[in-house]
Amino acid sequence: MQISERLLALRNKMDALGVEACIIPSGDPHLSEYPSEHWKIREWFSGFTGSAGTLVVTTEEAGLWTDSRYFLQAEDELDAQCIQLFREGDPGVPDYTQWLGEVLMPGSKVAVNGETVSVSLLRRISRELRTAQVSVDASHAAAEEVYDGRPPIPENDVFLHEEKWCGASRSEKLEQVHQIMRKNGASHYISAALDEIAWVLNLRGNDVPYNPVFHAFMIVETSQVKLFINPHKLTAQIARKLEADNIKVSLYEEIYKHIRHIPEDATVLLDPDRTNSAIFAALSPKVTKKEQLSPLTRLKAQKSDTEVQHLRETLLNDGVAMVHFLKWLEDHVGKEKITELSAAQKLKSFRAAQPGFVGESFGTISGYAGHGAIVHYSVNEESDVELKPEGLYLIDSGGQYHGGTTDITRTVPLGKFPEQARTDYTLVLKGHIALACAVFPKGTRGVHLDILARKALWEHGLNYGHGTGHGIGYFLNVHEGPQSIRPQDNGIEMEPGMISSNEPGVYRRDQYGIRIENLILSRVKQESEFGTFMDFETLTLCPIDNRLVDAGLLTPDEKAWFNNYHQRVYEQLAPRLDQDHQQWLKEKTKAI
C-alpha cells in the first residue's frame, strides 16, 4: 500500500468512529524511544523512520512534527503531497495542538490511543484542545486497527544479567524501591518502562533492536512484586530465581485487568511522564495517586561503583576497537571501495572482537560529506555513498557490552577539506573541552551547563539544534534520563554517578557535519564552606583527530586538556595494541 492508500484507510476508520482527527505518536505502551516493529505505527502511516515525531491526520490534511535532528531526513522520506512537514522549534511553526485548534471546527473529536501517550502528554493535549472546543478520545486504537500486515509483538527469550556485572542483587534493588514507597506511603508502584524493569530485575532481552530489553510491566506491592510478561520468554532457571525473590509472573496482556482490580483504598505511586494514560485510566477514581519521578529512573541513573568500574574496562575495549577502525579507514580509503554501509559494518566487526560484546547500541550514523550534516542520518542501500579521499566523515556509533553501553562520535578528514571546516571543528572542540572541564556546585542542572558547550560557536554565529548531552544506560538504552544537558530545563540536577554524553557539533547543509562525543561521569570534586562542588571525568578513550585542529584558536588551558587527554589515551590503550597500532596511536596523540 502507498502512503496515500494507508491514510485513506485511516480516514475511513476515523469516519466510522465519528472522529475528525487522529494523533499518532512514536511510542509503544511503555513509551519507549525505540519501539519494536509491532509499534512503529507512525512510521507505517508516514514513511518517516526517525525515532522522534508525531503524525496528525485529519479528514483532509496530514502533518508530521519532528525536531531539528530529523529535518533533512524527514524532507527526504515524507511524501509532501500527502503529509506536510512541521519543523518543531522554527519561528512561526505551530505545535500540533495549535494546528488542530485552527483546522478543526468547534465540537470536533480527536482520537489518540491512550496506550501510546503518557499521562502528562494526554493531559496537555486535552487541555490545549479544550480551548478550541475540541475533545479528545483516548479509548480508540484507530491507526493500529488499520495497520495491514502488522508484525507481532516479539517473543524473544529473556536472559540473566549476572550479579557480578550489576553489583547489586535483584532483592537489594527492590528493597531500595520499597524504601521509597514506604517514604511516600505507597502500597503499589507501577512501572511500564522496559529499561527500568530490566535494570531492577537484573534481566535483559532481545525484543527491541539495539536495546537489550523485553516487553513487560511491573507492579511492586507491599508484600510482593508482579511481573506481567509472557511466561514462555522465561527459562526455567529465571522463573525459579524470580519465584525465590517473591516475584509472581502473570500474562503480559493482563496488566490492565489487574490494575482495574487494585483496591480503592490503595495508594499508587507512578510517574506521569513514563506511564501510559490507559494504565492511569484503568485505576479506580477512588485510588490515591502519588505522581512523581519514577524511583527507578533515579536509582538507575546513578551508577554504582561496580557499574562504573566495569564501564571503564568496557570503554578501554571500545577504544581499542575504535583505534583499529580509524587506522583501517585511514589506510584503505581511496585504495579500495569503502562506503558508508561497509565502513559501519567494519567498525562492528572490530567491536565484535572485543570481550563482552553483545551488539551495537544503536544504528551507526555513518555520514560522509553532506550526509554528515543529517544529525541522525540512517544509511541504507539506497542512500549509501562511497567514501572518497577528500572531505569529512562523521561516525557516531556504540556498543552493548555486558559491562556497559558505549556511545562515541568522531569526525575525521579523509583528505583535502575546506578551511572553514578547520575553524568549525576547533570551535566544536572548544565547546567539548569547556564542558569536560566544568566545575559546578551540587544542585546544578543540565540547562546551566549547556551554554559552556555552545559559547565558542555562538561567538562565531554558529549553533546546533540538538542537546549537548544525554544520560546513558548500563547495558541498556543508549539514551536514558532523567538528566540531560540541553537548552530546555527539565528540573533535574546532576548527581554523582550519572554518566552523560558530551557531544557539541555543527552542521552545514550539503557540505559536512562535525560532532565530537565522549562519555563523562559526574563526581564530587571537593567540599568547602561554600558547599559541595562537582566536576566531570571523561571516560571515553579514543583519539580526537588533530589534523582538523587550528591550534591558534585554542587557549593554553584548552591545549593542555587536549594534550593531557591524548597522553591518557595513549598510555591506557597502547598496552592493548600491537606495534603497528601503537605507532599509529602515538602519531595521533602527539602534543599540539
Side-chain angles (χ1 to χ4, degrees), residues 100-114:
L100 283 170
E102 293 167 1
V103 301
L104 295 181
M105 297 290 290
S108 297
K109 186 184 291 185
V110 174
V112 61
N113 183 354

Side-chain angles (χ1 to χ4, degrees), residues 6 15 92 128 151 322 486 496 521:
R6 296 173 186 182
D15 184 54
E128 292 176 0
M322 285 296 299
R486 60 190 313 115
L521 168 68

Side-chain angles (χ1 to χ4, degrees), residues 354-422:
Q354 297 303 313
F357 178 78
V358 178
E360 294 174 295
S361 56
F362 56 97
T364 297
I365 299 169
S366 176
Y368 175 58
H371 284 168
I374 303 173
V375 178
H376 273 206
Y377 173 63
S378 180
V379 60
N380 55 50
E381 291 183 3
E382 287 73 37
S383 68
D384 192 23
V385 296
E386 184 176 356
L387 308 189
K388 298 177 182 177
E390 61 184 24
L392 301 190
Y393 172 60
L394 182 153
I395 185 153
D396 185 349
S397 66
Q400 293 286 9
Y401 300 80
H402 291 295
T405 301
T406 71
D407 185 3
I408 178 173
T409 308
R410 289 296 184 263
T411 307
V412 295
L414 301 183
K416 282 187 177 181
F417 55 87
E419 193 60 29
Q420 171 187 257
R422 187 187 304 277

Side-chain angles (χ1 to χ4, degrees), residues 210 311 313-326 328 340-366 393-410 472 478 517-519 540-543 573 576-577 581:
Y210 309 115
L311 183 59
E313 178 68 18
T314 291
L315 285 165
L316 281 169
N317 293 329
D318 205 63
V320 168
M322 285 296 299
V323 166
H324 278 270
F325 170 75
L326 292 171
W328 169 84
E340 294 169 331
L341 267 180
S342 68
Q345 290 161 355
K346 190 70 174 181
L347 176 52
K348 182 180 179 181
S349 73
F350 286 126
R351 280 203 170 97
Q354 297 303 313
F357 178 78
V358 178
E360 294 174 295
S361 56
F362 56 97
T364 297
I365 299 169
S366 176
Y393 172 60
L394 182 153
I395 185 153
D396 185 349
S397 66
Q400 293 286 9
Y401 300 80
H402 291 295
T405 301
T406 71
D407 185 3
I408 178 173
T409 308
R410 289 296 184 263
I472 190 164
V478 74
E517 177 185 16
N518 285 338
L519 300 186
T540 303
L541 294 166
C542 177
L573 293 187
R576 296 170 180 245
L577 300 169
H581 287 89

Side-chain angles (χ1 to χ4, degrees), residues 38 90 98 109 129 154 183 188 202 242 401 414 432 493-494 514 524 526:
H38 178 80
D90 274 9
Q98 286 178 291
K109 186 184 291 185
L129 288 178
K183 184 178 177 182
H188 296 68
N202 287 348
L242 294 177
Y401 300 80
L414 301 183
H432 181 95
E493 300 173 1
M494 303 301 293
I514 293 168
V524 172
Q526 69 179 58

